Amino acid sequence: MGYIVKYENLHTELPKLQTVLLNTIQSECLEIKSIDKTCKKYINNCSKIPKLTKAHYVVYSKYIAKENHKYEKFIFLDNDGLEICDVSGVEMELYGILNTCENLFLSEEYKHIH
């Protein structure tokens, strides 16, 4: 790889994560966060999109401005990194349902440059 690996244990924590998602998360093109499953906003979205009940993580672009989120696709993953579904920004917002992934550890190399 020609970049600094962000998370030292991403592949072991999410073994079913697609290679393209793994690489774009590691290179910081995309961001991964865990979902607050107790959040009312998340629970309400699950009633509209039942597949979300299996989701533990979401992958999204941190570079898209809030006013353009309706054009974005959010990729929801299960506990092993398998893609559950993708949801457009028109269908739901992520604000208020995201947590830091406590099980993912930043690599020493990444911490050194940030």
Side-chain angles (χ1 to χ4, degrees):
M1 290 189 231
Y3 56 86
I4 304 289
V5 171
K6 183 173 182 177
Y7 297 109
E8 66 183 42
N9 64 331
L10 183 60
H11 182 67
T12 55
E13 287 292 314
L14 302 174
K16 294 184 180 177
L17 186 63
Q18 294 176 31
T19 303
V20 68
L21 287 177
L22 180 115
N23 290 339
T24 53
I25 293 166
Q26 292 288 42
S27 65
E28 291 195 286
C29 292
L30 295 177
E31 185 66 54
I32 186 168
K33 295 285 184 179
S34 65
I35 298 169
D36 179 357
K37 292 177 135 314
T38 63
C39 173
K40 284 184 181 185
K41 187 176 186 180
Y42 168 75
I43 295 166
N44 289 339
N45 281 312
C46 285
S47 66
K48 293 183 245 172
I49 309 166
K51 289 181 182 180
L52 287 178
T53 59
K54 297 178 182 177
H56 289 272
Y57 302 96
V58 64
V59 177
Y60 64 97
S61 173
K62 63 182 181 180
Y63 298 109
I64 295 180
K66 184 177 180 177
E67 63 270 10
N68 294 320
H69 277 245
K70 62 185 173 187
Y71 305 112
E72 187 174 6
K73 287 279 189 183
F74 308 121
I75 302 168
F76 288 88
L77 309 172
D78 72 5
N79 212 31
D80 292 321
L82 187 65
E83 186 175 335
I84 299 296
C85 64
D86 61 66
V87 178
S88 75
V90 171
E91 295 173 90
M92 73 179 289
E93 290 183 353
L94 295 181
Y95 297 103
I97 70 166
L98 303 179
N99 286 328
T100 303
C101 296
E102 300 292 331
N103 60 324
L104 298 178
F105 304 115
L106 296 174
S107 70
E108 290 301 319
E109 199 174 22
Y110 181 85
K111 287 191 274 187
H112 181 70
I113 63 166
H114 288 88

